[in-house]
Amino acid sequence: MTVKSIDFPNLGIHLADVGDHITVFGFDIAYYGMVIGLGVLAGVLLAYMEAKRTGQKAEDYIDLAIFGVIVGVLGARLYYVIFSWDQYQDDLLSIFNIRQGGLAIYGGIIGAVIAVLVFAKYKKKSPLLIFDTIAMSLPIGQALGRWGNFFNREVFGEYTDNLVAMRLPLDAVRASDVSEKMREHLEVIDGIKTIQVHPTFLYESLWCVMIVLVIMALRRHKKFDGEFFLIYMCLYGIGRFIFEGIRTDTLFLIGTTIPVSQVLAAIFAVIAGGLLIFGLVRSKRNKKEN
């Protein structure tokens, strides 16, 4: 029987029985899916409120949410499957089972961008304005959604003994996520083999909350359309680049040992940062000319 404890020993937190699902009428419902759903709901609500604040038709964002979630989930799953093909090539039906995880955030972001561009063209709206309106929705959804990884005992990093180090039973995690360094520091507590790791899901969740707060603080000082989305892409890219370097479940570019999400994070951060600076400089110049 798998031990279900999750501990943060340096904080004195011991969670003795953390399950990964509930059972309703004989059907298992994964906490992962429930948390992702909560993140989507929070993001939709925030976009709706921001649309009303900026004088847009808020109901349009309900329609966008339905379309965007479908395309985003497809993108997130496709991205994960492509870069984890070894897990699925012998069992193609497992591609459709997402209840236990296997959604890559960058795939979801790419899907969301495509959904916005298509939606904007159909509705004849400015895509940059839409991107700004959902600029807080994406990180708040990610901040909440990352806790699905907590219940699944995944998206953690290398061995650490820092303040927020997380201790997990060895047999509760995927063997492929366990590094040699973790095994070197393996402890046996009450007869249970345990590893101690960086809770990178927590780092990313807190980082995304920070992004929301930054955009919220700046939204009354907007200089140009697209500004807030660029802030989100730049800051998230910086954080993800750092966290991806700590994780042990990294997806790699096919045929290499190069972390694909770390590469994308760096590219998106640099491009978004450059466009942000360009937009701010051009806005300042236009203001002087006027």
Side-chain angles (χ1 to χ4, degrees), residues 17-281:
D17 187 14
V18 181
D20 61 2
H21 69 277
I22 58 173
T23 302
V24 180
F25 301 118
F27 183 74
D28 291 343
I29 303 176
Y31 289 140
Y32 179 87
M34 294 170 64
V35 172
I36 293 293
L38 181 62
V40 170
L41 183 61
V44 172
L45 180 60
L46 199 52
Y48 186 89
M49 294 169 61
E50 183 65 7
K52 291 189 71 173
R53 187 188 73 84
T54 54
Q56 301 177 66
K57 186 179 178 182
E59 288 72 20
D60 282 345
Y61 286 86
I62 302 297
D63 297 334
L64 174 60
I66 296 170
F67 178 55
V69 166
I70 294 172
V71 178
V73 169
L74 287 174
R77 186 57 171 175
L78 183 61
Y79 182 106
Y80 187 87
V81 169
I82 289 173
F83 294 107
S84 304
W85 182 242
D86 289 346
Q87 297 181 32
Y88 301 98
Q89 60 182 349
D90 298 322
D91 183 12
L92 297 181
L93 288 179
S94 64
I95 292 174
F96 303 99
N97 180 17
I98 63 173
R99 290 190 301 153
Q100 298 303 315
L103 297 176
I105 285 179
Y106 265 125
I109 292 173
I110 293 170
V113 168
I114 293 172
V116 167
L117 294 175
V118 172
F119 186 81
K121 185 171 181 62
Y122 176 74
K123 289 283 188 177
K124 295 181 173 57
K125 295 172 68 74
S126 166
L128 294 180
L129 179 58
I130 296 176
F131 280 132
D132 274 351
T133 306
I134 67 170
M136 291 186 293
S137 298
L138 292 172
I140 199 63
Q142 291 169 255
L144 292 170
R146 271 302 179 206
W147 284 89
N149 303 126
F150 167 77
F151 292 106
N152 278 3
R153 280 84 167 168
E154 60 187 5
V155 187
F156 52 78
E158 262 292 2
Y159 165 80
T160 185
D161 193 33
N162 70 10
L163 179 64
V164 293
M166 179 172 65
R167 181 186 293 155
L168 299 168
L170 181 63
D171 64 356
V173 304
R174 291 184 300 236
S176 60
D177 294 346
V178 181
S179 70
E180 286 303 316
K181 189 174 181 181
M182 291 179 202
R183 294 186 186 279
E184 289 172 6
H185 292 86
L186 187 144
E187 294 184 62
V188 179
I189 300 175
D190 296 329
I192 306 298
K193 294 180 180 179
T194 66
I195 56 174
Q196 193 165 291
V197 299
H198 280 282
T200 47
F201 78 89
L202 174 62
Y203 301 163
E204 188 169 328
S205 179
L206 294 175
W207 185 260
C208 286
V209 170
M210 182 275 293
I211 294 173
V212 173
L213 295 177
V214 167
I215 295 174
M216 192 170 288
L218 295 174
R219 62 182 180 170
R220 294 187 182 278
H221 308 284
K222 182 177 175 179
K223 302 296 189 299
F224 62 93
D225 283 347
E227 177 183 351
F228 297 153
F229 188 72
L230 290 174
I231 290 173
Y232 158 68
M233 290 297 291
C234 181
L235 290 179
Y236 180 69
I238 292 171
R240 185 60 184 270
F241 180 84
I242 296 169
F243 307 142
E244 201 68 25
I246 303 172
R247 285 171 57 172
T248 58
D249 63 340
T250 300
L251 302 177
F252 297 107
L253 285 169
I254 298 171
T256 75
T257 57
I258 301 173
V260 60
S261 291
Q262 194 170 38
V263 171
L264 282 178
I267 291 172
F268 287 157
V270 170
I271 292 176
L275 290 174
L276 181 62
I277 293 171
F278 174 78
L280 292 173
V281 170

